[in-house]
Amino acid sequence: MADSPLLSRQGPSRSTWLRARKARPQLILSRRPRRRLGALRWCGRRRLRRRLLQTQAAGADWREGGCLASRAAAARRPKTAAPSPASSPTPSPAPAADPVSNYLATLPIPPVRPAGPGRALVLLPLEQGFTFSGICRVTCLYGQVQVFGFTISQGQPAQDVFSTYTHTRLAITAVHYSVSEKNKKEMKREARTLLKPHLNKDDRCWLMKNFSPLCSIVMLEHLKTSTVNFIISHPGLSYVFVQESPTFQINSEYFALRSVGIKREKKKNGLRLTESALSAMEELVSVSCEEVDGCPIILVCGAQDVGKSTFNRSLINQLLNSISCVDYLECDLGQTEFTPPGCISLLNITEPVLGPPFTHQRTPQKMVYYGKISCKNNCENYIEMVKYVFSSYKRESPLIINTMGWVSDNGLLLLIDLIRLLSPSHVVQFSSGRSKYMPNLTPDYVDDMDGLYTKSKSKIRNRGFHLPEFTENLDFVDEEKESPVVFTGHKLMCVQSDFTFRKTPRNRDSHNKVLRDLAVLGYLGQLQPPVPKPLSPLHSLTPYQVPFNAVALRIIHADVAPTHILYAVNASWVGLCKILDDVRGYANGPILLAQTPICDCLGFGICRGIDMEKRLYHILTPVPPEELRNVNCLLVGAVSVPQCVFKSQRGLEGTIPYITTDYNFKLPGASEKIGARETEKADEEKLPPRPRRCRKTN
């Protein structure tokens, strides 16, 4: 009886631990079992090693030292008994080889297979997705897949997909497609016929071995564009597309995806839209495909970082599945979608949007350069520019309107003015638990509230009356008269956003500035020759020579003395615009404008230098020469050239032009306190040159 307390302390503890260990479906070693691992007898270690192998086959992660402990145990005893059929459904490994290697050999074939240099095959069962980061060219060889809402079917052209680290990761998802009444054998024969022109025999056999009905076969190819090459040529920007991180699964799938230029990501990092967003998108697509009531005008609004831009891209892609084109009105100055920042533009979109803004810079139908990333100081001019651009909308296709994230105080009143001005048929209002409170913009609320420049319409009873010429007759609030415009009602669609992001009020400004710089670099990437030609540094490209008396000048963001105009223009980001006034006839120049004109912007460029002897501007721009003939005005705003363009160009020798530690902040427009020019530290600013010929560099 003296030994009974000892037995109660030793026996039950070990048996209880073993029973709990066998009951767990996935084994993750805690600290206590790792300490007791060395105290186990040989039979206990064998059972534990068997459980580790079963856990790996089930896909469980080996945390911290658990993986090392199991591998060490397997190395010490290479010969193990085969797992019992009741505990593992997979066949037993050969006893003469390493148990881990043999057990891995019996696992199911991964869904990714290399198909030559820079190519990989992905076999996707129905409703399953492949989330990734990086850039690649996607071709659907068999079946039908969906990327960011856009459907890619077999036989359609390949699509370039950009899944960057600055935005939510994209996924390739197999979707249901219609098939005729065929059995599995006939479907495999049809798939083999479609795959024969693209793949060799081994790849086709691998696909047919793992083929299942309603699956989709996708080929991923290595992709490089001149814009991407130009962006990643600057130090620190290659992480935008590819980030190297340690991985513990070095297998054929890893090397296949690496040769393509992508990396598999966890599903939780991919795009996830809420039920309310999906429901709103489905209704908008259904309404846009109907031609009974004409083309809908969809205005998307909400606070910052609630997923408005992501919703717009997905909506555009889903609309393009059914219709040929979609119109897009950009009213967000800070985070533009298809142009450099500071623009209000109208575009006709005919190609899917499968990446962030800096990967799809496009030429708008009509564009105005506002010159700032915010309109808080001059909302009246902003409204006039929106009216000017919106007047070009022909109502031949659905229109999506993107608005700013400024929805508090005067920003909310300005949004009410936009709703009255643009008269949308649908208003999609985003809200989130992390965003500030915003009242529901119902038709009654919009009618009863005074806007920033328009009065309330609550006194007008006939809301069904439509005024087609309202874009020309909209009057601002006047003390002596009422606004005569009557607006139709709209349908409000509230979307609750669960959009995950890492931005906080502290780092939001710096993050948004990085995105604006990437948009400018994406635009400048159009200057590069097409792949596979090598990159050309900007200082090696030949600029256009523009006489002083051929164009007028205007500084938008600050009041600059006429004697300092050339200081502000040199080495600046300039809008190439067309005004109605004739600037010819002046003998010398420069020609200065007293007010900022509302005019068409044809593109952008960099004033690389100023030749004071010949009185010429040297402009570097991707705008074609036939369009440049119409340019007669240069507008300089608060949008600056990214600092990496000045500091990180290849091939420069000696002192870098425009970089100095002796910067004169007393010049008008040189300080952040005067105007809104985006600047960094003083030692990283550009040096305004003296009014003489600019120094040339090799």
Side-chain angles (χ1 to χ4, degrees):
M1 297 299 295
D3 294 335
S4 58
L6 181 61
L7 293 176
S8 63
R9 288 194 302 269
Q10 293 181 356
S13 63
R14 176 175 298 179
S15 61
T16 302
W17 176 71
L18 290 177
R19 286 197 300 270
R21 183 61 59 192
K22 291 180 180 179
R24 296 177 64 179
Q26 293 183 356
L27 179 62
I28 301 175
L29 292 179
S30 63
R31 294 182 179 178
R32 184 177 179 182
R34 284 205 304 272
R35 290 196 300 266
R36 298 188 57 179
L37 184 61
L40 291 178
R41 290 185 293 179
W42 180 83
C43 59
R45 289 197 297 269
R46 186 178 64 179
R47 286 193 295 269
L48 182 59
R49 183 167 61 252
R50 183 185 306 165
R51 295 292 297 167
L52 285 171
L53 293 176
Q54 295 171 5
T55 302
Q56 185 189 22
D61 294 332
W62 293 4
R63 306 294 183 185
E64 298 179 356
C67 177
L68 301 177
S70 62
R71 291 182 179 177
R76 286 194 301 268
R77 295 188 177 273
K79 295 185 179 181
T80 61
S84 60
S87 60
S88 176
T90 54
S92 60
D98 181 66
V100 176
S101 301
N102 283 329
Y103 213 92
L104 288 175
T106 62
L107 296 179
I109 299 177
V112 178
R113 173 183 172 90
R119 300 172 67 190
L121 293 174
V122 181
L123 182 63
L124 293 175
L126 181 62
E127 302 298 337
Q128 290 195 15
F130 173 77
T131 306
F132 69 97
S133 59
I135 60 175
C136 63
R137 179 163 291 166
V138 178
T139 306
C140 184
L141 301 180
Y142 181 80
Q144 195 172 74
V145 296
Q146 197 172 77
V147 183
F148 212 169
F150 184 74
T151 302
I152 307 175
S153 305
Q154 60 188 37
Q156 291 185 350
Q159 297 292 337
D160 298 343
V161 181
F162 304 86
S163 181
T164 64
Y165 284 86
T166 56
H167 293 71
T168 306
R169 315 297 184 272
L170 301 184
I172 305 172
T173 306
V175 295
H176 188 276
Y177 53 90
S178 59
V179 293
S180 57
E181 296 182 358
K182 298 179 181 179
N183 54 29
K184 184 177 180 180
K185 185 176 181 180
E186 294 175 342
M187 295 174 64
K188 293 179 67 174
R189 185 183 300 112
E190 179 185 2
R192 189 180 291 107
T193 303
L194 292 173
L195 297 175
K196 191 172 183 180
H198 305 279
L199 306 175
N200 56 33
K201 184 177 180 180
D202 293 339
D203 294 334
R204 296 198 304 271
C205 292
W206 176 81
L207 292 171
M208 293 301 102
K209 182 180 178 180
N210 299 274
F211 184 87
S212 61
L214 294 180
C215 71
S216 298
I217 302 173
V218 177
M219 183 169 65
L220 308 178
E221 296 179 279
H222 184 76
L223 172 66
K224 282 296 182 182
T225 65
S226 56
T227 299
V228 172
N229 290 340
F230 178 72
I231 292 177
I232 65 178
S233 66
H234 297 88
L237 294 183
S238 60
Y239 76 94
V240 172
F241 300 100
V242 178
Q243 287 188 5
E244 293 293 339
S245 59
T247 179
F248 299 100
Q249 296 181 355
I250 307 298
N251 48 25
S252 59
E253 174 184 320
Y254 169 80
F255 289 109
L257 297 179
R258 186 175 182 179
S259 67
V260 174
I262 62 176
K263 183 176 66 173
R264 182 191 287 269
E265 295 283 349
K266 296 181 180 179
K267 185 179 180 180
K268 66 179 183 180
N269 295 332
L271 175 63
R272 292 179 295 176
L273 296 176
T274 60
E275 291 296 331
S276 57
L278 294 174
S279 177
M281 201 173 300
E282 182 180 358
E283 181 177 351
L284 292 173
V285 172
S286 176
V287 171
S288 300
C289 295
E290 297 176 357
E291 299 182 358
V292 178
D293 298 330
C295 300
I297 300 178
I298 306 165
L299 186 141
V300 182
C301 62
Q304 291 180 325
D305 304 323
V306 293
K308 298 190 301 294
S309 299
T310 303
F311 179 86
N312 290 337
R313 297 185 198 112
S314 183
L315 179 58
I316 290 174
N317 293 335
Q318 292 202 26
L319 287 174
L320 291 178
N321 291 330
S322 305
I323 58 180
S324 59
C325 61
V326 179
D327 286 332
Y328 185 87
L329 178 62
E330 182 62 82
C331 298
D332 189 354
L333 298 172
Q335 301 299 327
T336 52
E337 186 67 35
F338 299 102
T339 65
C343 297
I344 301 171
S345 58
L346 177 67
L347 300 96
N348 186 261
I349 309 300
T350 58
E351 298 292 333
V353 183
L354 303 178
F358 52 87
T359 61
H360 50 248
Q361 295 289 297
R362 302 182 182 180
T363 302
Q365 287 180 302
K366 200 174 192 65
M367 177 171 60
V368 174
Y369 185 45
Y370 185 82
K372 302 177 185 178
I373 61 174
S374 175
C375 66
K376 292 184 178 180
N377 297 327
N378 193 356
C379 295
E380 183 176 350
N381 199 31
Y382 170 80
I383 285 288
E384 289 293 340
M385 289 184 176
V386 172
K387 290 169 54 180
Y388 178 76
V389 175
F390 182 69
S391 62
S392 298
Y393 176 52
K394 304 300 182 183
R395 300 182 181 271
E396 297 176 352
S397 57
L399 175 66
I400 299 176
I401 304 172
N402 185 37
T403 59
M404 297 181 292
W406 179 34
V407 293
S408 60
D409 301 329
N410 287 342
L412 179 61
L413 303 181
L414 183 63
L415 180 58
I416 292 175
D417 287 337
L418 284 180
I419 294 177
R420 290 175 177 167
L421 167 66
L422 305 176
S423 187
S425 59
H426 297 77
V427 174
V428 183
Q429 181 176 345
F430 276 78
S431 60
S432 173
R434 297 179 300 269
S435 60
K436 295 181 180 180
Y437 170 76
M438 179 180 177
N440 290 336
L441 300 177
T442 61
D444 293 335
Y445 180 86
V446 174
D447 284 350
D448 294 339
M449 287 292 295
D450 288 336
L452 195 60
Y453 298 107
T454 58
K455 283 187 176 181
S456 170
K457 303 299 182 298
S458 59
K459 298 181 181 180
I460 301 175
R461 301 299 182 185
N462 185 12
R463 293 184 49 187
F465 179 77
H466 178 67
L467 185 61
E469 302 297 333
F470 68 91
T471 56
E472 299 177 1
N473 298 328
L474 181 67
D475 295 333
F476 290 151
V477 173
D478 192 270
E479 297 180 356
E480 299 179 355
K481 63 179 181 179
E482 296 280 346
S483 179
V485 185
V486 180
F487 299 91
T488 59
H490 61 267
K491 181 177 181 180
L492 177 64
M493 309 176 71
C494 296
V495 175
Q496 183 66 26
S497 174
D498 191 21
F499 194 70
T500 58
F501 61 94
R502 298 179 181 178
K503 288 186 288 185
T504 62
R506 178 174 298 180
N507 65 2
R508 179 181 289 116
D509 292 339
S510 59
H511 182 87
N512 291 341
K513 187 179 186 307
V514 171
L515 297 181
R516 289 193 292 269
D517 288 347
L518 288 173
V520 173
L521 292 176
Y523 185 86
L524 292 176
Q526 303 177 33
L527 288 166
Q528 300 299 322
V531 177
K533 295 182 179 180
L535 290 176
S536 299
L538 296 184
H539 63 83
S540 67
L541 301 177
T542 304
Y544 293 97
Q545 294 183 352
V546 183
F548 280 6
N549 59 359
V551 293
L553 292 180
R554 174 65 181 173
I555 309 299
I556 300 174
H557 68 285
D559 294 330
V560 181
T563 55
H564 291 154
I565 286 291
L566 296 182
Y567 289 102
V569 174
N570 196 17
S572 293
W573 182 256
V574 295
L576 309 178
C577 303
K578 176 185 177 182
I579 59 178
L580 299 179
D581 298 334
D582 190 3
V583 299
R584 294 176 298 179
Y586 292 86
N588 295 320
I591 305 170
L592 307 182
L593 296 178
Q595 296 180 350
T596 301
I598 299 178
C599 57
D600 292 345
C601 181
L602 306 181
F604 297 91
I606 299 177
C607 183
R608 181 181 163 184
I610 299 177
D611 191 336
M612 293 300 297
E613 298 178 0
K614 298 182 180 179
R615 310 189 72 79
L616 297 173
Y617 304 109
H618 294 279
I619 306 296
L620 194 63
T621 177
V623 178
E626 55 271 15
E627 293 289 337
L628 290 177
R629 295 189 181 97
N630 299 321
V631 174
N632 58 0
C633 178
L634 302 181
L635 298 182
V636 180
V639 180
S640 59
V641 181
Q643 297 293 331
C644 58
V645 172
F646 294 101
K647 299 187 298 183
S648 305
Q649 290 195 61
R650 296 179 293 106
L652 288 178
E653 298 179 358
T655 304
I656 303 178
Y658 303 114
I659 302 298
T660 182
T661 57
D662 184 19
Y663 186 73
N664 187 2
F665 281 94
K666 295 182 180 180
L667 290 176
S671 174
E672 290 181 341
K673 297 180 181 179
I674 306 177
R677 179 179 293 275
E678 299 174 356
T679 57
E680 293 183 356
K681 296 180 181 179
D683 58 348
E684 296 180 354
E685 291 297 332
K686 60 186 181 182
L687 174 63
R690 299 177 181 176
R692 58 180 177 83
R693 184 162 184 164
C694 180
R695 173 174 42 182
K696 294 183 179 180
T697 58
N698 297 324

